[in-house]
Amino acid sequence: MAKAPYKPPVQSTIGQVFDTIFLLVLVMAALFVPLELGLAGGGKIALEQKDQTWAGMNQNATMQEQWTKLGFTDGPKTEQNPNSAAEMIATRFDYSFDPLELALTAFAVIAYFFIVFHWSRKEYREVIDERFNNK
């Protein structure tokens, strides 16, 4: 007995629009909720600089020239020197991370793909059977 050819389910236009908007909301939430909860984006360290000259900030002649091209000067930021590069040079991003959180994130991503493949296995097999086993 021959199987009927596989016909994927047809989704209505309203369903497609809803899915698109729902996925867009999920993506925006995934991007902005961690920022709003203070879980991301706050990792900065300000280094203490006693000497805010180019040499004191460990800037060589080439670096100094590039800062100058961008309109920045050496020295502390004051009313007379609003374009001081000292604050930007002293600010460092903190790239530290928690290995446990990294492992949990990796587990969540890998588990998601296993679940997707597990749930899709039946449909994949039907399509493969239809395309290759009937010939």
Side-chain angles (χ1 to χ4, degrees):
M1 180 195 270
K3 276 185 164 181
Y6 174 77
K7 292 194 172 93
V10 178
Q11 187 177 24
S12 68
T13 304
I14 294 172
Q16 289 178 3
V17 169
F18 174 79
D19 284 351
T20 302
I21 293 171
F22 182 70
L23 287 173
L24 183 63
V25 168
L26 286 179
V27 167
M28 291 297 142
L31 291 173
F32 290 110
V33 167
L35 291 174
E36 292 297 322
L37 295 177
L39 301 173
K44 289 184 181 177
I45 299 170
L47 303 175
E48 182 81 23
Q49 290 182 337
K50 293 183 175 145
D51 183 11
Q52 294 185 349
T53 63
W54 292 123
M57 294 185 289
N58 295 324
Q59 302 295 301
N60 62 31
T62 305
M63 293 173 170
Q64 177 183 348
E65 183 181 337
Q66 297 307 314
W67 281 111
T68 306
K69 283 181 184 177
L70 292 170
F72 292 99
T73 60
D74 63 341
K77 191 170 193 171
T78 61
E79 233 177 81
Q80 292 79 24
N81 187 15
N83 295 330
S84 174
E87 188 177 321
M88 284 196 291
I89 292 171
T91 303
R92 302 281 193 260
F93 287 104
D94 181 16
Y95 292 106
S96 61
F97 63 92
D98 182 12
L100 178 62
E101 290 176 357
L102 177 65
L104 288 173
T105 302
F107 174 76
V109 170
I110 292 168
Y112 169 77
F113 282 108
F114 274 109
I115 289 169
V116 166
F117 285 125
H118 175 72
W119 286 343
S120 301
R121 184 181 305 163
K122 181 181 176 200
E123 287 185 27
Y124 288 147
R125 286 186 178 165
E126 286 178 8
V127 170
I128 289 171
D129 286 343
E130 176 189 335
R131 294 289 174 212
F132 299 107
N133 289 346
N134 292 339
K135 293 185 179 185

